Amino acid sequence: MNKKKELIIGKKEKQKLTKLQQAFNRLVKQLEKLRREKEKTEKILSENLDFYGKHIHPLEEQIADLTAISAKTFYRLYNEQKILTSSEKEILIELIAGQISRFLSFTRREPDDELKKIFEFVEGKSFEDAAESDFEAMKDDMRETFKDFGVDIDLDDFTSDLSENEIIRKMFEKMGNVQEQFEAQATEKPKRKKSKRQIEKEDRERQIEEAKTKNISAIYKQLAKVFHPDLEQDTERKVEKETLMKQLTIAYKQGDLHTLLRLELEWLQKEEDDLEKLSDEKLKIYNQALKEQVEELEMQIHLAVQHPRFMPLQRYVRFFSIESIKLEYEKKKLQGEIEFMKQDLAELDGEKPIKKIRQIIRETRKEIKNQQMFSFDIEDFLDRF
């Protein structure tokens, strides 16, 4: 059985590959590796998202329900237990605020009227006012961020009643407008006199870009003639060429030089075995385009988990690595937490809730003390050295 040929330029006996040919082979291998990595990344994320939807999300909703009940129970005990000291009640208010915050972090559902009333008691303002204030603060942060780059962004049409999908859609539109502003500003800036080296560099880049566009079109036209199924009489080869023609057309429309290149080289390997005759000029164009595709794929892989589709998984990502997502472990952890919360609530609803509530207050005080003990001002620490 013949071994499938690689998408690389081979070398004849006693003949060394040129630097351009070596760079071409290296980039092609790198690109193929990144394509496989991107497919693997998307597969891992999709499988995790599917597991999340079936097993994790229902548990998160259970925890949200239990934290809402906890907040209501703590609030009831705050009002009923007259023997609690003022310092104990202060801790209890912190616990109530923490439970409401936890509810909001585990679900997209809005609190019911009872929980909103408790929220207003704890925070001193209505839930709606707080949500609007947070939303406006987020918009101010966005404006300041873009302002640092010298761009004014209009967010007046961003309102808190928009759905998450609508916000994401509008954000992409704004990013497009920002890109236009950047380009316009770049055009308006007074141009300094360019050095001879800058002029030569820009001229080379322009020539390569023009040649690349021209070459994509040229490769497409050349291969379209070769692959066109209507010109093939053999039935099997006709089917093969129909598939190749579809791949060719899609790659051309997407400006995907790598796929066009792969089809061209595979055809050359199959029909002529004459890859070493690729000209230096053609290799320069290929190498530049392949380098850009490598950089683009690296960025796509790095940002894959940030895609809005995978937002539910972001809570379980550690150290920016998708390999850190261990949802089987998270499932067991959430199940254990649910049982623990149910036991606490059963005791708080029992005949002697004061014993349990004071135990929780003591544990909370201890946690606060530990946090204060191990927290320090990092800047003050660094100033000592």
Side-chain angles (χ1 to χ4, degrees):
M1 188 174 183
N2 292 331
K3 186 180 178 182
K4 187 178 178 182
K5 291 183 178 179
E6 290 182 289
L7 175 60
I8 58 172
I9 300 171
K11 62 180 179 179
K12 293 182 178 179
E13 192 178 351
K14 296 181 181 179
Q15 180 185 8
K16 286 187 176 180
L17 295 180
T18 66
K19 287 185 178 180
L20 283 171
Q21 289 173 329
Q22 290 173 19
F24 170 85
N25 286 348
R26 185 178 65 253
L27 285 166
V28 167
K29 286 180 178 179
Q30 191 177 358
L31 189 57
E32 291 293 357
K33 181 182 176 183
L34 286 169
R35 283 185 186 279
R36 289 193 296 271
E37 187 179 342
K38 185 172 183 288
E39 287 176 6
K40 180 184 174 184
T41 298
E42 290 174 347
K43 184 172 182 286
I44 290 172
L45 287 171
S46 295
E47 288 173 351
N48 275 302
L49 190 63
D50 184 55
F51 186 94
Y52 170 87
K54 289 178 181 176
H55 303 287
I56 303 296
H57 180 64
L59 296 175
E60 288 181 341
E61 290 297 325
Q62 264 189 275
I63 286 181
D65 289 336
L66 288 169
T67 52
I69 294 170
S70 294
K72 293 172 184 178
T73 303
F74 288 150
Y75 181 67
R76 174 174 58 79
L77 292 171
Y78 175 90
N79 290 307
E80 288 179 357
Q81 297 297 325
K82 306 299 182 184
I83 60 173
L84 288 173
T85 66
S86 57
S87 64
E88 286 175 330
K89 285 195 170 187
E90 284 178 13
I91 297 292
L92 202 50
I93 288 175
E94 286 191 37
L95 283 166
I96 294 169
Q99 292 300 302
I100 295 174
S101 176
R102 201 153 183 266
F103 168 84
L104 295 172
S105 73
F106 271 101
T107 184
R108 292 189 180 125
R109 287 178 287 148
E110 198 171 282
D112 60 23
D113 290 341
E114 184 181 356
L115 204 56
K116 285 183 179 180
K117 180 183 175 183
I118 297 170
F119 179 94
E120 187 167 357
F121 167 77
V122 170
E123 300 295 339
K125 55 184 172 182
S126 72
F127 175 79
E128 287 77 13
D129 288 345
E132 188 66 33
S133 177
D134 289 344
F135 192 80
E136 290 301 320
M138 180 269 290
K139 285 167 62 175
D140 288 341
D141 287 343
M142 285 175 63
R143 286 193 189 97
E144 287 301 314
T145 300
F146 282 106
K147 200 170 184 181
D148 289 341
F149 290 99
V151 175
D152 291 323
I153 185 168
D154 181 12
L155 297 176
D156 289 345
D157 55 344
F158 269 54
T159 54
S160 56
D161 60 338
L162 291 173
S163 70
E164 193 171 322
N165 287 335
E166 287 173 325
I167 290 174
I168 291 170
R169 180 181 58 79
K170 282 184 174 290
M171 180 54 66
F172 277 111
E173 289 177 3
K174 298 294 180 186
M175 292 301 291
N177 294 337
V178 167
Q179 181 63 31
E180 289 176 7
Q181 282 192 52
F182 274 128
E183 291 171 358
Q185 287 174 3
T187 306
E188 291 169 6
K189 283 181 180 178
K191 297 179 181 178
R192 295 179 181 177
K193 189 175 180 180
K194 296 177 182 176
S195 67
K196 186 179 178 181
R197 183 176 291 180
Q198 285 178 311
I199 294 170
E200 288 174 351
K201 182 185 175 185
E202 289 180 5
D203 192 45
R204 277 198 311 274
E205 288 174 350
R206 180 183 55 78
Q207 288 177 11
I208 287 174
E209 195 59 38
E210 288 176 358
K212 186 171 68 177
T213 305
K214 184 179 178 182
N215 217 54
I216 288 176
S217 180
I219 293 172
Y220 172 74
K221 287 175 183 176
Q222 290 164 9
L223 292 178
K225 291 177 183 177
V226 177
F227 294 160
H228 206 292
D230 293 346
L231 304 175
E232 185 58 57
Q233 300 300 318
D234 184 272
T235 307
E236 285 187 19
R237 284 175 66 83
K238 189 180 182 73
V239 172
E240 181 186 356
K241 285 189 173 184
E242 283 175 352
T243 303
L244 288 170
M245 195 65 196
K246 286 177 183 177
Q247 293 176 6
L248 182 71
T249 304
I250 292 170
Y252 176 64
K253 286 180 178 177
Q254 293 178 346
D256 185 356
L257 180 61
H258 177 266
T259 300
L260 286 171
L261 174 60
R262 175 176 59 78
L263 293 169
E264 181 185 39
L265 295 186
E266 286 178 353
W267 186 261
L268 285 170
Q269 285 172 329
K270 186 176 180 180
E271 298 296 311
E272 301 174 22
D273 200 18
D274 203 20
L275 301 183
E276 68 277 3
K277 288 186 179 179
L278 285 171
S279 68
D280 283 353
E281 194 58 40
K282 202 170 188 181
L283 281 171
K284 284 179 184 177
I285 296 164
Y286 284 163
N287 289 352
Q288 179 63 30
L290 291 171
K291 185 180 177 184
E292 290 171 7
Q293 289 193 26
V294 163
E295 291 171 355
E296 177 65 25
L297 274 177
E298 285 174 338
M299 182 62 70
Q300 287 179 19
I301 292 166
H302 179 68
L303 297 176
V305 75
Q306 303 299 323
H307 191 283
R309 182 185 170 213
F310 302 118
M311 194 176 291
L313 300 176
Q314 290 173 17
R315 180 198 299 273
Y316 304 105
V317 176
R318 304 287 184 271
F319 310 112
F320 308 101
S321 170
I322 63 166
E323 301 295 338
S324 68
I325 303 174
K326 308 293 182 186
L327 293 188
E328 283 285 0
Y329 166 77
E330 299 294 345
K331 177 184 174 183
K332 291 177 183 177
K333 186 178 172 184
L334 291 172
Q335 287 171 335
E337 196 170 342
I338 287 168
E339 291 307 310
F340 183 77
M341 292 177 73
K342 284 179 178 178
Q343 289 173 16
D344 276 359
L345 284 169
E347 291 184 53
L348 289 170
D349 285 331
E351 293 180 2
K352 297 180 179 179
I354 190 65
K355 182 179 178 181
K356 185 62 183 178
I357 197 66
R358 278 184 162 154
Q359 178 196 335
I360 293 172
I361 289 171
R362 282 196 303 272
E363 290 171 355
T364 304
R365 273 193 179 134
K366 190 176 179 180
E367 286 178 15
I368 293 171
K369 187 177 179 181
N370 287 338
Q371 288 172 3
Q372 290 172 343
M373 187 181 299
F374 290 105
S375 65
F376 58 89
D377 189 332
I378 187 66
E379 290 183 5
D380 181 57
F381 175 77
L382 292 173
D383 285 343
R384 298 179 187 178
F385 294 92

